[in-house]
Amino acid sequence: MNTRLSTAAIDTLRANALRFLAIDAVEAAKSGHPGMPMGMAEIAVALWTRHLKHDPARPDWADRDRFVLSNGHGSMLLYALLHLSGYDVSLDDIKQFRQLDSRTAGHPEVGHTPGVETTTGPLGQGITNAVGMAMAEKLMAQEFNRPGHDIVNHHTWVFLGDGCLMEGISHEAASLAGVQRLSKLICFWDDNRISIDGDTAGWFGDDTPARFRAYGWNVVENVNGHDVEDVDRAIREALANTENDIGPTLICCRTTIGKGSPARAGTAGVHGAPLGADEIAATRAALDWAHAPFDIPQEIRESFDGRAKGERDRTEWQARMAAYRAAHPELAAEFERRMRGDLPSSWRALAPALVRRADNEAATIATRKASQVAIERVARALPELLGGSADLTHSNLTDWPGCGAVRADQFGRHINWGVREFGMSAALNGIALHGGYVPFGATFLVFSDYARNAIRMSALMKQRVVFVMTHDSIGLGEDGPTHQPVEHVPSLRLIPGVDVWRPCDAVETQAAWNAGISRTDGPTLLALSRQNLPHQSRDEAQLDDIARGGYVLADADAPKLVIMATGSEVALAMAAREALAAEGIGVRVVSMPCTNVFDRQADSYKRSVLPDGVARLAVEAAHPDTWWKYMVGAPKADVIGVDRFGESAPAGALMKRYGFTAEAVTDNARALVA
């Protein structure tokens, strides 16, 4: 870099390099969002060149700062930063923006592009992921740091826009972050007052600084987002506040969307469309950028390169980690194991032993209660288990003896999320992404609607999160149709990558928890009953086969019918089998606690469970449509399900009206084999 240039001039060149990489990539793709990268360029320069603790050579370094682009449509800003900072994101990758199989997707995707910490795009979820990350950082610091050994000490930084703030989830996340005093969470609001439909004055009139102060945040106002020095001043103020533990910080940066574009700056026209050749030429002239598309002078590249500083920061931490390891070897080994995402070596043997313990107890209890028992057992074995409930702890049954409550000034392992189902679920994703914990969160199954997009994002990001959903059917009873899920289980099964378990008793519940804990490639959702369910007897092979998602629970010689069931309806299938056996009709009962897992089994196994040429009946107190795929190969078939909303009445009365009795199942089964 020309040493005769002032710091301000150098920063301007850096900002314009970011602008034109975004402009040129969007133009080449004929698709994208150039406005935000152009408007936040100086903010990015201030953070990434002066404050962000990261190592481009080691994007997974445990004590790095986390950077979240909540306004993920502006992804080219992040890709430009990664490229210029020295991450493994090449200029060819930039040129392939939004193209098939490129590393620079339309919205940032974790695990796809080095340096991307979370998948963003659905507005408001990035900031909420960041709340989870900041919560994990604070808890890990409380759990592992020792006097003279701060091995967990990093910040979570967030870029967000008006769209993120308009989304309701941002209120949930910001409120919780304030209560928890997550002081190492620092957010930059891109206050450009433009969204896709135009000037936001017509639909977004919040006093945002006052709103965040009401949440308990520190707010830095009136920051010129196009002045690197002013942004730097605001960052230093925010960092000083982290030492005082007074809560997270919102830095309010006034910006112009599309800064530098003569015709489109400050308009919705630059938000989500290429500038076009003529306007790009005019912008180059206006910003005195004489370089060809994708051409960044070497001097600017060198001034941005974060590898040398990143290596210094990382090796300094590694030295501190070595001292910590010498002083606290067991804690160090535990920290490293958990940050790798490995389970204790004892887990492989313990998991089946827990299933057998549940089998020996032969308890007749609600599966929500069986889940609480399973949580307690798992929590004793896995100190990384961390979770709670969205204001339904005593209904979801998510606490356990000695768990301790997570509070601003207190370490614990049980989180009271408040009535924030969506915020809870997206924050769980952030906790999982941060590393060090296996998170879970609970609510009523019917309220998975509120959380659904975060559950989907968990699957998209392949994160190990356990969603505990209780009160799984019309068996909920008197609370009525507003609280009785009928379409939820089948619709959740349709989300790629989500394993939905609906266990029939305490044994299957423990197996479901084991599956969720052991799984490393996506989330697990448990749909649990309010009502007590009887224990089902199994032999050793059947106990092992629960993990296959579907298995033969009870059989007959040359069965004439296979009854498939899940959850509370397995007991009805078993009762129907017994009644039909008295009539000389052999019935096989297949328990199908997780159709998603069963579908991944080998065809030979699936055929052994569901043989061709035998009539089939499926029974589930949920919408019936997803069961029909299991009827291929059966000469006659039927499904007993619920294809309308429930009613308010005692559970027994509802089950009888909707056809979920042993007698009704027996009658349906008899008709199929007549």
Side-chain angles (χ1 to χ4, degrees), residues 533-556:
L533 303 182
H535 170 74
Q536 302 296 336
S537 297
R538 303 169 181 84
D539 60 25
E540 286 291 313
Q542 289 172 314
L543 290 172
D544 291 336
D545 282 344
I546 297 172
R548 294 175 178 261
Y551 64 102
V552 178
L553 178 62
D555 212 353

Side-chain angles (χ1 to χ4, degrees), residues 486-509:
V486 293
E487 77 277 23
H488 297 71
V489 165
S491 68
L492 289 162
R493 286 173 179 148
L494 294 177
I495 302 176
V498 178
D499 283 353
V500 178
W501 288 79
R502 188 165 180 254
C504 76
D505 65 0
V507 178
E508 287 188 357
T509 303

Side-chain angles (χ1 to χ4, degrees), residues 206-260:
D206 298 13
D207 184 341
T208 296
R211 168 187 156 191
F212 275 76
R213 286 195 180 95
Y215 292 143
W217 286 53
N218 171 57
V219 178
V220 184
E221 291 189 72
N222 302 316
V223 177
N224 181 351
H226 301 303
D227 183 336
V228 174
E229 292 299 332
D230 202 29
V231 176
D232 178 73
R233 173 196 58 77
I235 293 173
R236 293 182 186 280
E237 180 178 335
L239 289 172
N241 286 318
T242 67
E243 303 303 321
N244 299 325
D245 192 31
I246 63 171
T249 296
L250 179 70
I251 300 175
C252 304
C253 299
R254 189 73 178 94
T255 64
T256 299
I257 191 171
K259 174 73 172 177

Side-chain angles (χ1 to χ4, degrees), residues 164-442:
C164 292
L165 295 177
M166 282 186 265
E167 288 286 358
I169 190 174
S170 74
H171 298 257
E172 299 181 27
S175 173
L176 182 66
V179 170
Q180 290 289 341
R181 292 207 307 270
L182 301 179
S183 296
K184 291 184 178 176
L185 173 64
I186 302 174
C187 301
F188 299 84
W189 171 30
D190 179 26
D191 179 17
N192 61 39
R193 304 179 191 181
I194 293 291
S195 63
I196 291 175
D197 280 356
D199 189 327
T200 60
W203 50 86
F204 184 50
D206 298 13
D207 184 341
T208 296
R211 168 187 156 191
F212 275 76
R213 286 195 180 95
Y215 292 143
W217 286 53
N218 171 57
V219 178
V220 184
E221 291 189 72
N222 302 316
V223 177
N224 181 351
H226 301 303
D227 183 336
V228 174
E229 292 299 332
D230 202 29
V231 176
D232 178 73
R233 173 196 58 77
I235 293 173
R236 293 182 186 280
E237 180 178 335
L239 289 172
N241 286 318
T242 67
E243 303 303 321
N244 299 325
D245 192 31
I246 63 171
T249 296
L250 179 70
I251 300 175
C252 304
C253 299
R254 189 73 178 94
T255 64
T256 299
I257 191 171
K259 174 73 172 177
S261 170
R264 296 194 188 178
T267 73
V270 76
H271 185 287
L275 294 182
D278 290 345
E279 186 61 18
I280 291 174
T283 304
R284 277 184 154 79
L287 296 178
D288 194 22
W289 188 261
H291 310 290
F294 301 106
D295 180 17
I296 306 297
Q298 186 61 27
E299 290 180 319
I300 299 177
R301 290 182 174 278
E302 290 174 357
S303 77
F304 239 119
D305 196 327
R307 287 173 291 188
K309 181 181 182 300
E311 184 178 13
R312 289 194 301 271
D313 287 342
R314 176 174 54 82
T315 54
E316 187 273 335
W317 176 80
Q318 288 173 329
R320 286 191 283 117
M321 188 66 200
Y324 179 77
R325 192 179 297 110
H328 305 283
E330 292 183 0
L331 276 176
E334 177 73 1
F335 173 80
E336 291 170 334
R337 174 188 73 78
R338 286 168 52 172
M339 290 305 295
R340 288 194 306 268
D342 295 341
L343 296 175
S345 57
S346 59
W347 176 252
R348 183 181 294 274
L350 178 62
L354 293 178
V355 172
R356 280 152 179 78
R357 178 176 174 182
D359 184 58
N360 290 335
E361 291 175 353
T364 294
I365 55 176
T367 53
R368 62 170 174 162
K369 179 60 179 177
S371 172
Q372 185 178 43
V373 174
I375 289 171
E376 180 182 354
R377 291 170 178 163
V378 171
R380 284 201 299 266
L382 304 181
E384 58 263 49
L385 189 68
L386 172 72
S389 174
D391 203 49
L392 291 168
T393 298
H394 301 298
S395 292
N396 300 148
L397 304 180
T398 54
D399 56 353
W400 66 97
C403 59
V406 174
R407 296 290 185 263
D409 55 356
Q410 172 183 299
F411 176 80
R413 295 171 65 190
H414 186 269
I415 304 170
N416 298 101
W417 291 100
V419 187
R420 301 183 179 101
E421 297 88 356
F422 193 8
M424 170 186 74
S425 301
L428 291 172
N429 291 338
I431 291 171
L433 287 160
H434 178 277
Y437 292 104
V438 176
F440 72 90

